[in-house]
Amino acid sequence: MQVCIAGFKKGQLKILAHSFDRSLGGRDFDEVLFHHFSAKFKEEYKIDVSQNARACLRLRAACEKLKKVLSANPEAPLNIECLMDEKDVRGFIKREEFEQISAPILQCVKAPLEKALADAGLAVGDVHMVEVVGSASRIPSILKILTEFFGKEPRRTMNASECVGRGCALQCAILSPTFKVREFQVNESFPFPISLSWKGSVPDAQNGGAEQEQLVFPKGNPIPSVKAVTFHKTSSFSVDVQYSDVSDLQAPAKISTYTIGPFPTLRSEKPKLKVKVRLNLHGIVSVDSATLLEEEEVEVPVSKELAKEDAKMETDEKPNDTSAPGANETDVNMQDAKGTAEAAGVENGVPQSGDKPVQMETDTKVEAPKKKVKKTNVPVAELVYGAMLSGDLQKAVEKEFEMALQDRVMEETKDKKNAVEAYVYDMRNKLCDKYHDFVTASDKEELMAKLQETEDWLYEDGEDETKGVYIAKLEELKKQGDPIEERYKEYSERGTIIDQLAYCINSYREAAVSNDTKFDHIELAEKQKVLNECVEAEAWLREKKQQQDQLPKYATPVLLSADVRKKAEALDRFCRPIMMKPKPAKPATPEAPATPPHPGSEAQPQGANSPKASPNRNGDPSENVPAGSGEAPPASVEPMETDKPETTSAA
C-alpha cells in the first residue's frame, strides 16, 4: 500500500509526502481466503491442499477471482473440479465473513495515511481530494475506512488497474527527446534519508579514527539535487553512501563506497577537498567528483600592483559607454579578479567601483603577499553493493542481444509458417473461383492434393519446424501455383495494356498525316519513318492478338503484358524525338541606324514611324518608290508591305 500527498498547480505537480506499508497489499487478501478454504477443505474433504503444489496454485487463482466477485456482490461461491485426489470441492462465503477474517489486515490501512499527513505537516481538513487506484482498492471495506478517515468519499476518476502504467508512459514521454507533450513540471521528492560516513584520520586526537556520519539528503529532499561536502584529509580515504534509517526498508544500509585519492599532500596544513554528491533525476545517489583546493602565495611587487589598480580604477571612473572598445572585457576581468579574491578569502582584491587609487596606496594590506586558489581534480573509484561486475555486465548484455536475435528468428519463423498456411487457404479458394478457367482439371486436382497434404503437415509434423523448412515448403507450392496466377494476371491486365499501345499508334499516325502547321517544319521523310514504325507495331500487335485469341485460358499466353509494354515504350522512344522536334529559330533583323530627315520633308518622319514601313539598307524609304515617280510616297503607301519581305531577305 502506498500513500502519496501531492500539491497541484497549473502545469505543475509537487510531491509533499510519501509513505507505504510493504506487508499490506491485494495479495494478502488472497492469502486470507486461501488459508480459510484450505482449512475448510481439510475438515470437510479430508485433503491437505498445502501438500500439493498444483492444488495450491489452483486454489489461489480461485481465491483471487472470489475476492473480485465479493467486491461487487454480497456473497460468492467457490467451485473447483478435481482439486486434489480427484475430488471436486465447493465453498461459499459472504462479504461480512470475508471482512471479519481480513480484520487484522484492514487495521493496518490507517497507519500509512497518518504517517503521510505527519510528514507533510498537514491536517485531514487540508486534503481537498482523495483518489484511489490499484485493483485492491475496489474492496468495499477499504473504501469505507478511507471515507471515515478523510471525511469525504474517495474518487475514481482514473482507471484503477492501468493508471500506473499510463503515468509511467507519460513520464517517459516527458523525459524523452523524441516525443513532444504538453509542458508539465513534476517536482519529485526523495522518500529516504541518505547520509555519508567515513573514518576519521589517525592523527585526529578528538576523533581517534572513529566512524563519522553526516546527513546529506534528508527525507523529502527535492529530486534532482547536488550537495558539496568539504573534507580535510592528507591521504586517500573512503566514503560510504548509506541509508540513515533502514526500519522501513528490506535492504542493507550501505549503497556504495567511493575511494577518493590519491592526491598530493601539502607540507604544512591539511588540504581542503570539495566532494560533489549528486542525487539525480532517477533517485540514484553518487559521488560525481572531488576537487583539491590549495592556496598558493604569489609575490607581486607593490609598485606594479598599484599601477594595475590605478589603471583599473581609471577604467571604472569612465562613463558607462558600452560602445567603447574593450568595455565588456574590462568588466569581465574585474569580476574574475573579485571572484578569485573572494574564493581565497583575501580582503585586498580588486575593489568594485567608487574606491580611489589614493585609498589603495594608503591601504596597509597592499604589501601582503597575494594568495591564489589552485584546483586539482582527484580520481574517484566507485563500488556499488549488489551491482554486477563489469565483466558480468558485459556477458549479460551479450546474452541479451543473443536472446533478442532468437526472438527475431522465432518471429520470422512464425511469419513464414503463417505465410504457408495463408497460401494454402487462399489458393484453394481461388482454384474453385477465380482460377477455375486458367488451370486444367488434372493440374487442379494435383495442386489441391498438394495443398491438402501441406495443411495436414502443418498441424502434425510441421507444427514446430525451422524458418528454412517453411520457406522451402512455400516455394514448392508456388512452383505449381505461380503459373496459374500469372495466366490470370495476364488475362486481367492484357486488355488495358493493348488499349494503351493502340492509342500510342493512333496518336503518332494522326500526327504524321496531320496538316497542322505545327508539324510543317518536319520533313516528309521523317514523317514516313513514323508511319512505317506505326504500321510495323500495329501488324505485330494484330498477329500476336490473333494467336492469343485462339488459345484457351489455361494455356501459356503468347501475348504478354510485358512485351506489349516494351513495344509501346520502343514506339514512343522512336517517334517522340521526330514529332516533338522544335521549329527552327528565325534569324533576327538588325536595327538600321537612325538618319536625320531631309530639310523640308514632312512625310519621311511619318513613314519612318509607320509600322508598315520597311526601310532598306540605307534607311531611306524613298528608294522603295516605283520607277517613274517624281515625289516621295506618303507614309501609308501599301507597296511598302510588298517590299518588306525582300528587304528582310536582303538583310
Side-chain angles (χ1 to χ4, degrees), residues 334-558:
M334 290 183 63
Q335 292 174 3
D336 293 342
K338 179 177 180 296
T340 305
E342 290 178 354
V346 183
E347 298 179 359
N348 61 344
V350 179
Q352 294 182 357
S353 62
D355 295 342
K356 302 296 182 179
V358 178
Q359 297 177 358
M360 295 297 298
E361 293 177 359
T362 57
D363 196 345
T364 56
K365 296 183 179 180
V366 173
E367 299 177 357
K370 187 176 180 180
K371 292 184 179 181
K372 181 180 179 181
V373 178
K374 179 183 177 182
K375 297 181 180 180
T376 306
N377 292 330
V378 178
V380 178
E382 181 186 42
L383 173 62
V384 180
Y385 297 103
M388 299 178 66
L389 299 177
S390 59
D392 297 338
L393 181 61
Q394 183 63 28
K395 292 180 181 178
V397 172
E398 294 175 358
K399 184 67 175 178
E400 181 184 10
F401 282 119
E402 181 182 347
M403 295 170 65
L405 180 61
Q406 292 176 359
D407 292 343
R408 188 171 65 181
V409 171
M410 292 177 62
E411 191 70 21
E412 293 175 353
T413 303
K414 183 180 65 175
D415 293 341
K416 295 302 179 182
K417 179 183 178 182
N418 293 338
V420 174
E421 186 178 18
Y423 187 84
V424 169
Y425 294 145
D426 185 59
M427 181 56 69
R428 180 186 296 160
N429 295 334
K430 289 181 178 179
L431 284 175
C432 300
D433 186 14
K434 296 193 299 184
Y435 297 165
H436 181 268
D437 297 334
F438 298 90
V439 59
T440 60
S442 58
D443 292 344
K444 178 181 178 182
E445 184 178 354
E446 181 182 355
L447 183 55
M448 291 288 283
K450 189 70 175 177
L451 294 173
Q452 184 62 41
E453 178 186 349
T454 304
E455 183 182 6
D456 297 339
W457 172 81
L458 277 175
Y459 298 118
E460 294 176 1
D461 298 338
E463 179 69 26
D464 188 15
E465 284 290 345
T466 60
K467 173 184 173 182
V469 173
Y470 293 123
I471 293 176
K473 185 65 70 172
L474 183 60
E475 291 178 352
E476 183 180 355
L477 292 176
K478 285 189 173 184
K479 285 181 181 179
Q480 295 180 262
D482 283 352
I484 303 172
E485 188 174 355
E486 286 296 328
R487 289 195 289 270
Y488 173 79
K489 185 178 179 182
E490 286 291 335
Y491 177 80
S492 303
E493 297 179 356
R494 189 181 300 122
T496 304
I497 302 299
I498 289 176
D499 293 341
Q500 293 177 1
L501 177 57
Y503 176 78
C504 184
I505 294 172
N506 294 332
S507 298
Y508 284 116
R509 178 189 294 149
E510 292 176 1
V513 300
S514 175
N515 294 326
D516 198 336
T517 56
K518 63 181 180 181
F519 300 120
D520 290 347
H521 63 284
I522 302 176
E523 299 178 1
L524 293 177
E526 298 290 336
K527 292 182 179 180
Q528 189 61 39
K529 291 181 181 179
V530 172
L531 290 174
N532 295 340
E533 195 71 20
C534 292
V535 170
E536 180 186 352
E538 189 175 22
W540 175 86
L541 178 61
R542 187 185 304 111
E543 179 185 358
K544 291 292 185 180
K545 193 171 184 302
Q546 290 176 357
Q547 296 177 7
Q548 182 62 44
D549 293 341
Q550 296 174 1
L551 295 176
K553 293 182 179 180
Y554 55 79
T556 303
V558 295

Side-chain angles (χ1 to χ4, degrees), residues 54 59 122 141 308 446 481 588 599 639 646:
R54 184 173 181 273
L59 181 57
L122 300 175
S141 55
K308 291 181 180 180
E446 181 182 355
E646 297 178 0

Side-chain angles (χ1 to χ4, degrees), residues 134-237:
S135 300
S137 63
R138 298 185 177 94
I139 299 176
S141 55
I142 293 181
L143 294 176
K144 182 180 178 181
I145 294 174
L146 296 177
T147 303
E148 294 176 354
F149 184 85
F150 289 103
K152 55 176 67 69
E153 187 175 356
R155 298 175 53 177
R156 289 185 172 276
T157 58
M158 295 185 289
N159 189 307
S161 302
E162 299 178 0
C163 67
V164 174
R166 293 180 181 181
C168 293
L170 178 60
Q171 183 66 22
C172 289
I174 292 175
L175 296 177
S176 173
T178 306
F179 300 93
K180 184 178 181 181
V181 297
R182 185 188 304 172
E183 290 293 333
F184 191 82
Q185 183 179 359
V186 179
N187 298 321
E188 184 63 270
S189 62
F190 199 63
F192 311 109
I194 300 293
S195 62
L196 298 181
S197 65
W198 66 94
K199 289 185 178 181
S201 57
V202 178
D204 290 344
Q206 54 181 356
N207 297 324
E211 188 80 16
Q212 301 182 31
E213 183 176 347
Q214 180 180 355
L215 181 64
V216 180
F217 299 107
K219 184 177 181 180
N221 192 87
I223 296 179
S225 180
V226 179
K227 299 290 182 68
V229 183
T230 302
F231 294 90
H232 295 277
K233 296 289 184 179
T234 57
S235 60
S236 301
F237 64 101

Side-chain angles (χ1 to χ4, degrees), residues 2-286:
Q2 299 186 54
V3 181
C4 178
I5 300 179
F8 287 89
K9 292 182 181 179
K10 185 177 181 180
Q12 184 179 0
L13 169 127
K14 183 178 181 181
I15 303 299
L16 303 179
H18 177 263
S19 63
F20 55 89
D21 188 346
R22 289 184 176 273
S23 59
L24 177 57
R27 188 67 66 189
D28 296 305
F29 293 95
D30 301 343
E31 287 297 314
V32 167
L33 291 173
F34 172 79
H35 291 298
H36 171 76
F37 284 104
S38 179
K40 188 175 182 180
F41 295 156
K42 188 175 183 179
E43 180 181 353
E44 293 182 5
Y45 297 96
K46 310 301 180 184
I47 56 175
D48 189 2
V49 180
S50 59
Q51 301 300 322
N52 190 309
R54 184 173 181 273
C56 290
L57 185 63
R58 295 186 62 193
L59 181 57
R60 281 192 169 91
C63 290
E64 184 179 1
K65 294 180 180 178
L66 184 66
K67 178 189 66 175
K68 297 178 181 178
V69 174
L70 288 175
S71 297
N73 300 277
E75 56 188 24
L78 178 69
N79 300 316
I80 306 177
E81 296 181 358
C82 297
L83 177 62
M84 186 177 175
D85 297 339
E86 297 182 356
K87 291 184 179 180
D88 301 339
V89 296
R90 293 183 179 181
F92 183 83
I93 190 172
K94 294 184 177 181
R95 183 186 293 173
E96 291 80 4
E97 186 179 0
F98 170 62
E99 294 178 355
Q100 184 178 359
I101 62 178
S102 303
I105 303 176
L106 296 174
Q107 291 177 359
C108 302
V109 173
K110 290 185 178 180
L113 304 176
E114 296 172 350
K115 190 173 185 300
L117 287 173
D119 293 343
L122 300 175
V124 176
D126 297 331
V127 179
H128 299 90
M129 183 185 67
V130 180
E131 182 83 23
V132 290
V133 296
S135 300
S137 63
R138 298 185 177 94
I139 299 176
S141 55
I142 293 181
L143 294 176
K144 182 180 178 181
I145 294 174
L146 296 177
T147 303
E148 294 176 354
F149 184 85
F150 289 103
K152 55 176 67 69
E153 187 175 356
R155 298 175 53 177
R156 289 185 172 276
T157 58
M158 295 185 289
N159 189 307
S161 302
E162 299 178 0
C163 67
V164 174
R166 293 180 181 181
C168 293
L170 178 60
Q171 183 66 22
C172 289
I174 292 175
L175 296 177
S176 173
T178 306
F179 300 93
K180 184 178 181 181
V181 297
R182 185 188 304 172
E183 290 293 333
F184 191 82
Q185 183 179 359
V186 179
N187 298 321
E188 184 63 270
S189 62
F190 199 63
F192 311 109
I194 300 293
S195 62
L196 298 181
S197 65
W198 66 94
K199 289 185 178 181
S201 57
V202 178
D204 290 344
Q206 54 181 356
N207 297 324
E211 188 80 16
Q212 301 182 31
E213 183 176 347
Q214 180 180 355
L215 181 64
V216 180
F217 299 107
K219 184 177 181 180
N221 192 87
I223 296 179
S225 180
V226 179
K227 299 290 182 68
V229 183
T230 302
F231 294 90
H232 295 277
K233 296 289 184 179
T234 57
S235 60
S236 301
F237 64 101
S238 298
V239 176
D240 295 330
V241 180
Q242 60 187 15
Y243 294 105
S244 299
D245 185 9
V246 294
S247 58
D248 296 333
L249 298 174
Q250 296 180 352
K254 285 189 177 182
I255 302 173
S256 56
T257 298
Y258 293 87
T259 302
I260 302 174
F263 50 88
T265 58
L266 295 179
R267 291 172 297 191
S268 57
E269 56 182 352
K270 295 181 181 178
K272 184 186 295 184
L273 279 152
K274 183 172 288 187
V275 177
K276 185 181 293 185
V277 186
R278 182 182 299 275
L279 173 62
N280 66 8
L281 187 63
H282 311 292
I284 299 176
V285 181
S286 62

Side-chain angles (χ1 to χ4, degrees), residues 579-639:
M579 303 308 298
M580 300 298 291
K581 183 186 299 183
K583 292 183 179 181
K586 293 182 179 180
T589 303
E591 297 183 0
T595 57
H598 294 285
S601 177
E602 298 179 358
Q604 290 177 357
Q606 296 176 0
N609 295 331
S610 175
K612 295 184 179 180
S614 180
N616 56 13
R617 289 189 298 268
N618 298 326
D620 190 356
S622 61
E623 294 185 5
N624 294 326
V625 180
S629 178
E631 57 183 6
S636 60
V637 174
E638 293 298 333

